[in-house]
Amino acid sequence: MRRAFLAGLLAACASAAFAQDKPPLKILVGFPPGGSADVIARLVADALRDDFNPVVVENRPGAGGRIALAAVKAARPDGQTVVVLPSGPMVLFPHVYKKLEYDPVKDFTPVSLIAHFQFGVVSGPATNVKSVAEMLARAKADPKSATYGSPGLGTLPHFMGVLLEQSTGVAMQHVPFQGGGPANTALLGGHIGYKFDVVSETAELHRGGKVRIIAVTGETRDPQVPEVPTLKESGVNMVATAWFAMYAPAGVPADALGRLERAMARAIRHPAMQDKLVKLGYEPVGSTSAELAAAQRADLARWEKPIKATGVTLD
C-alpha cells in the first residue's frame, strides 16, 4: 500500500511539474463571439493546448478590432498574450484613420499567418447579372445603377469595390451599411445591385439561388464554389485576398517567439486543423514570423494607392 501511495504521489508530482512547464496563453479577439475571427481563434486555442496551459480566448469587441489591439500593445511582451485578427486592422486602417492608437509594424511582433481567404463579387436579385462582363457593361451604361454594399466605410469589402473600379476604369456607387447583416438584407431585398463578401459567408446563398457569385478575387478558384471564375479569368487584372494572423506585443524575446512559432506551425499544419479550416472556406498557411511580416508589408503597400485615391479618412 505504501509503495502504491508513493508511486501515485510521484506520478501526481510529475504531472503537476509537466503542467507547470507549459506557460499560459491568452488569445484576444477584437470581435464578438460567433464571428469568423472568434471561430478561428477558438480553433487555434484548442490546437495549442499541447504547448500551453491554460489557453484562454477573451473577446474584446469594438472599433473594428482596435480595442483588442490596444490591449495586446499594452501587455507584457512575454509571449503569453496574443491577438488573432483579420488583416484589415493591420494593412487598411493605417491608410484610413487619421489617428490610429497603434503602429501596426512597430507595436507588434508577427507570430504566424494562419489562413488566407478570398472574396466573391456577388450580384443580387435586383440585377440578375450572371457575369463580370455583364456587370461592367451595365455599369458603363448607367453608373448610378451599379450600387454595391459593404459593412461600412473603410472595410475590406468597400476597398475591394474601389480596387475593382480602379482595375477596370468603370465607376460604381458604394453604399455603406452598419455591418454585414444589413448589407446582406439590402442585397436580398433588391435595394442594392451587388456586394463584395467573403466567399464562405455567401456560398450557401449562392448555392440556394438567392444570390449569384459571379467571380472570386483570388489567384485561383475557390473550392467552395469551383464553378465560379476568378476575376482574372473574367478579364479583369485584379487579385486581392485577405488573411487571419496571430500577433504578440513588440519586444517578445526570441525564445518565447520561437515557442509560439513552432506551436502555431504544428497546429495549423496538422491534418485535422487543415481539414477544419478548409471546410470553413479558408486556405491554411501556418507561416513563420518573418513570412507574416513580409505579407503584412506587401499588403500595406498594395492597399495604400487605392485607399488614398478615394480620399476616405476616418477619425
Side-chain angles (χ1 to χ4, degrees):
M1 256 182 99
R2 187 175 177 183
R3 286 182 183 176
F5 172 76
L6 288 172
L9 182 62
L10 288 171
C13 290
S15 177
F18 181 70
Q20 288 173 0
D21 190 47
K22 296 181 181 181
L25 184 67
K26 180 188 289 185
I27 303 176
L28 298 187
V29 182
F31 301 89
S36 54
D38 180 68
V39 169
I40 293 287
R42 291 180 190 279
L43 283 177
V44 167
D46 286 342
L48 292 178
R49 297 193 197 282
D50 287 342
D51 298 275
F52 299 90
N53 181 53
V55 183
V56 178
V57 177
E58 186 176 310
N59 296 87
R60 299 272 189 98
R66 286 180 289 145
I67 290 174
L69 279 169
V72 171
K73 174 186 172 182
R76 288 182 59 189
D78 54 11
Q80 296 178 17
T81 303
V82 297
V83 63
V84 167
L85 78 170
S87 52
M90 305 305 276
V91 302
L92 296 186
F93 289 6
H95 303 310
V96 175
Y97 284 90
K98 294 177 183 176
K99 296 179 181 179
L100 202 57
E101 306 89 340
Y102 59 86
D103 184 306
V105 175
K106 295 179 180 178
D107 291 336
F108 302 96
T109 300
V111 176
S112 178
L113 201 163
I114 298 167
H116 287 290
F117 60 97
Q118 58 178 315
F119 287 76
V121 184
V122 187
S123 80
T127 65
N128 199 31
V129 159
K130 297 178 175 62
S131 70
V132 170
E134 185 181 358
M135 178 185 76
L136 295 176
R138 288 197 191 185
K140 284 180 182 178
D142 185 8
K144 290 184 179 179
S145 69
T147 54
Y148 74 94
S150 81
L153 283 170
T155 59
L156 264 168
H158 171 201
F159 290 122
M160 287 286 174
V162 169
L163 197 57
L164 181 63
E165 289 181 89
Q166 293 176 358
S167 299
T168 61
V170 177
M172 298 178 72
Q173 306 298 313
H174 176 230
V175 183
F177 291 87
Q178 294 297 315
N184 217 35
T185 299
L187 182 73
L188 291 169
H191 305 294
I192 55 174
Y194 309 96
K195 186 162 75 90
F196 293 81
D197 203 354
V198 178
V199 174
S200 59
E201 301 289 333
T202 315
E204 283 301 319
L205 291 173
H206 169 81
R207 285 191 283 266
K210 294 183 179 179
V211 300
R212 184 188 298 269
I213 302 175
I214 58 175
V216 293
T217 63
E219 189 73 54
T220 59
R221 294 192 180 198
D222 194 296
Q224 299 171 94
V225 286
E227 74 282 3
V228 176
T230 64
L231 281 170
K232 274 196 165 184
E233 289 178 300
S234 304
V236 178
N237 187 25
M238 171 181 158
V239 176
T241 59
W243 35 263
F244 282 102
M246 176 183 284
Y247 286 83
V252 171
D255 59 340
L257 175 59
R259 182 166 193 149
L260 280 166
E261 271 189 293
R262 290 189 297 273
M264 284 296 288
R266 282 194 298 270
I268 304 303
R269 294 172 189 173
H270 191 281
M273 183 65 151
Q274 297 245 326
D275 186 57
K276 289 174 184 177
L277 289 170
V278 169
K279 284 181 177 176
L280 288 170
Y282 302 110
E283 179 188 347
V285 182
S287 78
T288 64
S289 172
E291 288 166 341
L292 171 55
Q296 182 182 347
R297 286 193 302 270
D299 274 4
L300 268 168
R302 176 184 310 194
W303 286 108
E304 182 176 12
K305 183 179 177 181
I307 291 172
K308 287 187 175 180
T310 67
V312 171
T313 57
L314 301 173
D315 293 327

